[in-house]
Amino acid sequence: MSEAKVANKFNLKKFFKENNAIIIFVLLIIIASCLSPNFLSQRNVVNVLRQQVPYALVGIGCMLVIMTGGIDLSCGAILGVGSVVIALLLTKESITSVPALLGCVVITALVGGVIGLLNGVLVAYFKMAAFIATLAVMTMAQGLAYILTNGQPIRLPSTPATDALIAFAEIKDPLLGVPVAVYVTLIVILLFVFLIKWTSYGRLTIASGSNETAVRLSGINVNLYKAAAYTICGALSALAGIFVTCRAAIGTPATVSGGYELDAIAAVVIGGANLEGGKASVVNTIIGVLIMALIGNIMNLLSIAAYPQKVAKGVIIIAAVLLKSIGNKKQ
Amino acid sequence: MSNSENWVDMRGICKRFGGVVALDNVSLKVRKGEIHALMGENGAGKSTIMKILAGSLEKDEGEIYIGGKLANIKSPKDGMAYGISIIYQELMLVNDLTVAENIFIDSLNKDSKIINWKELRKKAQEYLNETGFSDIKATDEVGDLTVAYQQVVEICKALSRNASVLILDEPTSVLSNNEVVHLFRLLRKLREEGVAIIYISHRLEEVMELCDRITIMRDGTYIDTVETSSITKQELANKMVGRELQDYYPKREVRIGPVNFKVENISVRGKVSNVSFEVRQGEVLGINGLVGAGRTETIRAIFGEDKRDSGKIYLDGREVTIRSPRDAIHNGIGLLPEDRKTQGVLLDLPIRNNITLGCLKLFKTAFGKLSGKKETAYINDMVEQLSIKVGSIENDVSSLSGGNQQKVAIAKLLASDCKVLLLDEPTRGVDVGAKREIYKIINDFAAKNYSIVMISSEMQEIMGMCDRVIIMRGGEVTGELDKKDFSESNLISYSMGV
């Protein structure tokens, strides 16, 4: 009987440890709805979800990289490159139709993928420290975005293609009023849940981060999986950049310093990922993104000014991660 | 001999790691002014009991007396306070600091007052001169010294802490013959000054030459303490091994087929030179030799993990190109690495993810989805076949005992469907019961016509398991023995070059 008791106790601890992102998330929702009656209004919820589209995409990309034991500081800059590349493509006179827009989206994702691949090759094949390699690529991508635009914001001309793109961010389903972009993001999330949980790609990506040597000695091409993570992260970041551009209807190189990479990394860590690799989950990463969003939203609803918000955000991130490490120690 | 002569007196020491008994009622008595050898095979518990004496491990039971007084040693700091200093195989020096800074690193840390560098250097140089190594300068950077000299710095560091008990763990494994002579001279000098020296080694020759008395351990138990002058090398070897072969190694029906795996002139600069051997179907070929003989390096070079400078590899008479572990496994050559925890298994992932790492393609269905059902069936089959004791296959590998972790590593190796198995110390760090089961697994696969190469440092294991053995020394093959010629003295003479 005493053994059963021990097992029970253990499971409870384990439950808290494994689900503490969700617990924090629920707590924040409760706090927010108490603080402001507007919080649970449909308008506010839809707004928060729509704002999180780029963070969710970059977050998933960063999670893949962190899963392999690396880090990607360049994803925010790649997002910026993506946002100006799509804007530049849409200013071309030949691109007016909706199918042409799809081509532009693919090209933009490829540009992001190629920059990500550069990260991947430096880290996986040239054995460079991920922190340094992606820092260098970040600087290059930032410069690239300014070179491409001569440092000027790019206005989107009024064509069927641009209208379709802007509509993508605005059109809502008639029932719940959720923007299409959020549904598309949801599909991407589900795709990655499937890839990580149910395919050999996911298994081997996690394994590569857990113990690179053991995986290599099992005859698996570890470098390929590592490089793939950076490449996918680049492509997802560029796609996030497209969304940023279509919401603002303008492509500005200043987006490269929007700080997306740090918010994304914070979200992954709050979601319980191990920065040494081998442990991360898509669902928890998305919860991490939403926790970051809630923190911001609560402070907005309380009309806290922008600069104190930054300080408070940092404090809350530290608190969330500390809570986690305390949970780990108890084990 | 009265007890008061024993400066170090460890009585009835017991230590368990999880369910595994590492030390069972072990005693050790060491006098001042003697060099006392502690001998035993790998896994005998030599290092464990020394870590307990030095305070880096806590004992479960037993008492330690230092100078006749009960000593309560719970941390390395306690150990130092009792005058015990241990020098590990991996030296604990800071390479970027000077010799003087390393020798007095404790006091640098403790004293908040301003450091008198001149005085520090002078005192460090005094220690160096005293030990007879005045050509080491106190201002040298430790990283620039040879390993032998670094060892001297470690010993000076111990002396600066007024060590009355000095423990050395396999100190000569990294030294050249000439350097060994210098080390021995220093140790003899310290013996005259009344230091109690405990010398861990499994090199018979060295111990016979240097030590006054020898304590022998085996499988975590105390066997005997003898005067060196009263025992022969052969008797000592018998005491270290001590069990009857036929009882311990499972029988196997040997049906050896044609040669199907052959390597020629494998060389790795500075480590391996011109190693050639062949293995027949259903045969277990042993590779014996001392630590550092180049055995692991040879196998890693064959497997494509390390770069070869030369060498050809043949499978069924056909030359194959192997540049990476991937190539090797593609050709049906698998490796069970030497270090289970860092190379063999993925400790923090479930047993499921470990076992099928190399064979996920077997379970692919539509859209690349893995069939959990098929995978589970495969894993359960493997778990049963290798009798791996698991609670659930969803538990992390780190929750298993060493023996079962090793079996997971073996299952992972078998999943890659290789017919040539390179096993590097397959029973290292595994308890006696699990060892026997691993032997049985090896025999089973030999009986299924797998070709097996097995590196082992344990002579008994080699003689009990292998059909043939090659012996390496200094990166070269120094001998080859057929089963009928197996004997400890033959193995020793090839591996030590005597």
Side-chain angles (χ1 to χ4, degrees):
Chain A
M1 215 173 94
S2 69
E3 248 176 64
K5 233 181 183 173
V6 169
N8 252 333
K9 212 173 165 189
F10 175 73
N11 278 343
L12 196 69
K13 250 185 207 169
K14 209 175 159 189
F15 175 81
F16 275 114
K17 199 190 139 203
E18 282 175 3
N19 298 295
N20 77 28
I22 297 180
I23 293 167
I24 295 173
F25 179 57
V26 172
L27 280 177
L28 280 175
I29 290 183
I30 295 170
I31 293 171
S33 20
C34 293
L35 285 176
S36 162
N38 293 332
F39 173 72
L40 283 176
S41 71
Q42 194 228 21
R43 212 177 126 219
N44 187 48
V45 171
V46 165
N47 224 347
V48 170
L49 289 179
R50 184 167 46 190
Q51 279 166 359
Q52 293 321 304
V53 168
Y55 292 98
L57 296 176
V58 179
I60 290 173
C62 271
M63 184 208 69
L64 290 175
V65 170
I66 288 173
M67 221 173 223
T68 65
I71 193 98
D72 188 354
L73 299 179
S74 69
C75 50
I78 297 177
L79 181 148
V81 171
S83 79
V84 301
V85 165
I86 189 85
L88 282 172
L89 287 171
L90 288 173
T91 53
K92 295 252 181 295
E93 272 168 28
S94 53
I95 296 166
T96 52
S97 69
V98 177
L101 168 68
L102 288 178
C104 295
V105 170
V106 171
I107 290 170
T108 309
L110 282 177
V111 170
V114 168
I115 303 176
L117 181 63
L118 176 60
N119 281 324
V121 168
L122 292 175
V123 174
Y125 292 90
F126 288 90
K127 309 291 168 210
M128 228 177 251
F131 188 89
I132 297 302
T134 60
L135 190 68
V137 170
M138 176 183 102
T139 314
M140 285 158 61
Q142 286 178 344
L144 183 66
Y146 283 99
I147 293 169
L148 287 174
T149 58
N150 285 325
Q152 299 301 316
I154 310 286
R155 271 177 203 293
L156 299 184
S158 182
T159 64
T162 17
D163 292 344
L165 186 65
I166 290 167
F168 175 72
E170 291 303 327
I171 287 184
K172 298 166 182 170
D173 80 305
L175 208 67
L176 296 166
V178 177
V180 181
V182 173
Y183 287 114
V184 172
T185 307
L186 195 63
I187 291 170
V188 174
I189 292 169
L190 291 177
L191 173 71
F192 277 94
V193 169
F194 171 77
L195 281 174
I196 297 302
K197 237 189 143 100
W198 293 107
T199 68
S200 57
Y201 162 76
R203 278 284 180 84
L204 296 176
T205 301
I206 297 174
S208 303
S210 178
N211 186 342
E212 191 181 329
T213 310
V215 176
R216 189 180 56 245
L217 292 179
S218 301
I220 288 152
N221 192 344
V222 175
N223 291 344
L224 189 70
Y225 285 92
K226 284 173 100 178
Y230 289 90
T231 308
I232 295 172
C233 182
L236 284 172
S237 302
L239 287 175
I242 296 179
F243 185 78
V244 171
T245 295
C246 77
R247 274 213 75 198
I250 200 168
T252 151
T255 319
V256 292
S257 358
Y260 285 92
E261 65 280 351
L262 295 182
D263 275 10
I265 292 166
V268 176
V269 172
I270 289 174
N274 184 350
L275 278 179
E276 277 151 32
K279 218 144 237 179
S281 109
V282 179
V283 174
N284 280 338
T285 297
I286 297 304
I287 290 174
V289 169
L290 293 175
I291 287 175
M292 294 286 290
L294 282 182
I295 295 169
N297 191 237
I298 289 172
M299 288 191 289
N300 278 339
L301 291 173
L302 294 176
S303 338
I304 296 175
Y307 298 147
Q309 265 202 27
K310 268 187 155 324
V311 177
K313 207 169 180 180
V315 171
I316 292 169
I317 293 171
I318 291 172
V321 174
L322 269 183
L323 208 68
K324 243 175 216 327
S325 65
I326 291 166
N328 281 341
K329 250 178 222 154
K330 271 184 197 156
Q331 270 255 311
Chain B
M1 249 171 279
S2 80
N3 247 351
S4 64
E5 275 185 72
N6 293 316
W7 183 254
V8 177
D9 185 355
M10 302 179 79
R11 298 179 192 168
I13 305 292
C14 296
K15 177 73 190 172
R16 281 173 292 273
F17 293 110
V20 182
V21 178
L23 293 176
D24 182 15
N25 197 17
V26 177
S27 299
L28 177 68
K29 299 180 194 334
V30 184
R31 299 170 197 151
K32 271 200 159 182
E34 78 164 337
I35 303 179
H36 192 113
L38 187 55
M39 296 197 77
E41 291 191 298
N42 288 333
K46 297 166 292 185
S47 296
T48 309
I49 191 161
M50 285 304 103
K51 280 182 185 161
I52 286 175
L53 181 59
S56 58
L57 278 177
E58 260 192 81
K59 60 188 188 299
D60 293 332
E61 282 167 49
E63 286 161 343
I64 302 172
Y65 294 87
I66 306 287
K69 287 193 200 87
L70 188 63
N72 187 14
I73 301 174
K74 294 209 142 127
S75 69
K77 220 171 142 192
D78 294 342
M80 267 179 235
Y82 282 103
I84 297 159
S85 269
I86 184 162
I87 295 172
Y88 294 102
Q89 272 169 291
E90 302 290 325
L91 301 175
M92 303 284 171
L93 295 172
V94 186
N95 279 342
D96 296 327
L97 294 184
T98 63
V99 170
E101 285 163 333
N102 266 287
I103 291 178
F104 293 106
I105 197 144
D106 303 331
S107 39
L108 285 182
N109 184 23
K110 249 183 320 228
D111 304 346
S112 53
K113 61 175 189 282
I114 295 166
I115 298 159
N116 182 345
W117 290 107
K118 218 171 141 191
E119 175 77 17
L120 196 76
R121 279 183 211 124
K122 207 181 114 217
K123 274 203 288 187
Q125 197 62 51
E126 274 167 21
Y127 279 113
L128 291 165
N129 296 346
E130 245 174 66
T131 52
F133 288 85
S134 48
D135 45 338
I136 307 177
K137 296 285 164 251
T139 47
D140 289 345
E141 247 182 50
V142 162
D144 297 337
L145 300 178
T146 63
V147 181
Y149 276 6
Q150 290 180 355
Q151 230 170 31
V152 171
V153 175
E154 275 270 31
I155 292 172
C156 289
K157 188 166 122 190
L159 297 177
S160 78
R161 292 166 173 163
N162 297 318
S164 57
V165 181
L166 186 63
I167 305 165
L168 298 109
D169 193 353
E170 301 271 2
T172 54
S173 60
V174 286
L175 302 185
S176 70
N177 284 340
N178 202 15
E179 292 167 337
V180 169
V181 174
H182 287 295
L183 175 71
F184 282 9
R185 202 172 45 202
L186 171 55
L187 293 181
R188 289 194 180 106
K189 190 160 180 280
L190 294 175
R191 168 171 67 186
E192 271 158 39
E193 287 163 13
V195 179
I197 297 169
I198 303 175
Y199 188 89
I200 302 180
S201 178
H202 57 242
R203 298 190 180 184
L204 295 169
E205 302 252 295
E206 257 175 45
V207 167
M208 299 299 277
E209 184 195 332
L210 177 72
C211 301
D212 305 302
R213 291 195 303 163
I214 304 167
T215 291
I216 301 120
M217 292 178 66
R218 186 200 311 149
D219 296 333
T221 57
Y222 170 87
I223 301 300
D224 202 358
T225 300
V226 294
E227 299 277 340
T228 310
S229 54
S230 70
I231 193 165
T232 66
K233 249 201 287 190
Q234 191 57 50
E235 286 166 343
L236 195 55
N238 284 347
K239 275 183 194 287
M240 275 165 66
V241 179
R243 43 182 115 77
E244 291 297 315
L245 267 181
Q246 11 335 9
D247 296 344
Y248 195 64
Y249 296 93
K251 282 202 174 59
R252 158 166 74 100
E253 201 186 319
V254 186
R255 270 173 309 171
I256 293 177
V259 171
N260 76 325
F261 179 60
K262 194 167 105 176
V263 302
E264 263 178 18
N265 298 320
I266 301 287
S267 292
V268 179
R269 194 167 304 129
K271 287 173 180 167
V272 179
S273 53
N274 289 319
V275 171
S276 305
F277 61 80
E278 53 185 38
V279 195
R280 292 167 286 178
Q281 263 181 21
E283 184 180 38
V284 182
L285 172 73
I287 304 185
N288 188 233
L290 298 173
V291 173
R295 301 166 303 169
T296 298
E297 290 81 355
T298 304
I299 293 253
R300 284 167 63 97
I302 294 170
F303 191 63
E305 171 70 354
D306 293 341
K307 209 176 158 301
R308 292 189 294 278
D309 292 311
S310 72
K312 290 180 174 169
I313 300 161
Y314 299 89
L315 275 171
D316 297 321
R318 191 172 48 85
E319 193 185 341
V320 290
T321 316
I322 295 176
R323 290 208 190 84
S324 68
R326 210 157 150 251
D327 292 343
I329 284 178
H330 219 73
N331 283 300
I333 303 169
L335 170 72
L336 183 75
E338 174 184 34
D339 188 337
R340 177 176 67 238
K341 291 193 172 170
T342 62
Q343 305 169 344
V345 293
L346 296 85
L347 279 177
D348 297 328
L349 288 180
I351 294 156
R352 172 192 290 275
N353 301 32
N354 270 270
I355 289 184
T356 56
L357 195 70
C359 65
L360 287 171
K361 60 179 183 295
L362 295 179
F363 317 116
K364 265 189 192 159
T365 59
F367 303 113
K369 181 181 179 298
L370 298 173
S371 157
K373 225 181 188 178
K374 269 198 219 164
E375 192 191 16
T376 308
Y378 176 92
I379 293 167
N380 286 338
D381 185 48
M382 211 42 135
V383 165
E384 196 178 327
Q385 202 185 340
L386 305 186
S387 52
I388 310 176
K389 285 169 210 74
V390 298
S392 153
I393 58 169
E394 313 301 340
N395 290 345
D396 288 354
V397 171
S398 56
S399 69
L400 300 176
S401 70
N404 283 305
Q405 286 181 4
Q406 186 70 333
K407 286 188 199 166
V408 168
I410 294 173
K412 180 164 145 278
L413 166 66
L414 295 174
S416 53
D417 198 28
C418 292
K419 290 288 181 202
V420 177
L421 304 181
L422 312 172
L423 312 176
D424 196 349
E425 300 280 3
T427 64
R428 171 178 290 176
V430 158
D431 66 71
V432 180
K435 262 188 186 179
R436 225 188 115 93
E437 288 175 19
I438 289 171
Y439 295 146
K440 221 178 125 281
I441 295 168
I442 295 172
N443 282 345
D444 285 350
F445 282 90
K448 286 181 195 161
N449 278 332
Y450 282 59
S451 307
I452 296 170
V453 178
M454 177 172 137
I455 293 183
S456 174
S457 303
E458 291 183 34
M459 286 185 276
Q460 293 296 321
E461 186 170 281
I462 288 279
M463 294 197 286
M465 289 297 299
C466 301
D467 301 306
R468 204 153 48 87
V469 60
I470 59 171
I471 301 104
M472 289 186 67
R473 178 166 181 270
E476 290 173 38
V477 175
T478 52
E480 177 173 341
L481 294 170
D482 274 322
K483 194 162 191 97
K484 61 179 188 333
D485 302 320
F486 282 179
S487 76
E488 300 212 342
S489 56
N490 274 342
L491 286 172
I492 288 173
S493 65
Y494 282 123
S495 59
M496 299 201 178
V498 287

